Amino acid sequence: MKKFLTCIALCLCTLMLTVAISAEEDLFVLDWAELLSSEEESALNAFLAGVSEEAGANIIVASVESLEGDSAQNYADNLYDAGLAYFGLLDGTEDGALFLVAMNERQWAISTTGYGITALHEQALDHMEE
C-alpha cells in the first residue's frame, strides 16, 4: 500500500508540474489558481476520486496564487486541517494527503493526516522531492 500511495503521489507531482490545473464544484481538485482547463480538471478529479476510494483516504490537489506570507507546508497543513472540513470535502475520513502548489512563490508542499502520514512517510516524501 505504501508503494501504491507513493506512486500515486509521484504521478500527482508530475501531473501538477506538466499540466496546467480549475475547480470549484469538484471534490478532489481545488484549482484556485485557475491552471487547468475544465476537461483537465474533470479528468484529474475523476482520477483522484478513484484513487481516494481505492485507498480509503482523501487525495486532494490544490493550487493557489499566493501563500500570503505563509510557508507552503503550513498553508497546506492549515488548508487540509481546517479548510477542507469547512468545504465539506473530508467525507467522513481524515485519512489522506493534500498536494498544494503556490504559483507566485513557485513552492509546493504535501500535507498528510491519519493513514496518509504512514503511507507517505518522510523517506517517501524526500524521494518525491528529488
Side-chain angles (χ1 to χ4, degrees):
M1 184 56 108
K2 289 181 190 177
K3 288 183 181 181
F4 174 75
L5 286 178
T6 301
C7 180
I8 294 304
L10 286 171
C11 290
L12 290 175
C13 290
T14 302
L15 185 61
M16 287 292 294
L17 294 173
T18 58
V19 177
I21 298 196
S22 180
E24 290 299 331
E25 71 264 1
D26 294 334
L27 296 179
F28 300 98
V29 179
L30 303 171
D31 184 26
W32 294 319
E34 299 181 2
L35 302 173
L36 293 176
S37 70
S38 60
E39 294 83 14
E40 291 167 332
E41 182 180 316
S42 294
L44 180 57
N45 189 64
F47 173 75
L48 293 174
V51 169
S52 294
E53 183 176 334
E54 187 173 327
N58 295 299
I59 310 298
I60 299 164
V61 172
S63 69
V64 296
E65 284 293 326
S66 173
L67 296 172
E68 300 172 10
D70 208 348
S71 71
Q73 189 63 58
N74 194 52
Y75 195 103
D77 290 343
N78 288 338
L79 179 59
Y80 197 102
D81 295 342
L84 296 182
Y86 175 80
F87 290 110
L89 299 179
L90 292 181
D91 73 4
T93 183
E94 292 186 7
D95 296 331
L98 177 139
F99 177 74
L100 171 77
V101 61
M103 297 308 295
N104 289 347
E105 293 84 358
R106 298 287 192 214
Q107 294 181 14
W108 62 272
I110 298 174
S111 179
T112 56
T113 186
Y115 178 69
I117 295 169
T118 304
L120 296 173
H121 52 83
E122 194 68 33
Q123 185 179 19
L125 294 173
D126 289 344
H127 179 71
M128 289 187 311
E129 186 173 355
E130 290 175 17

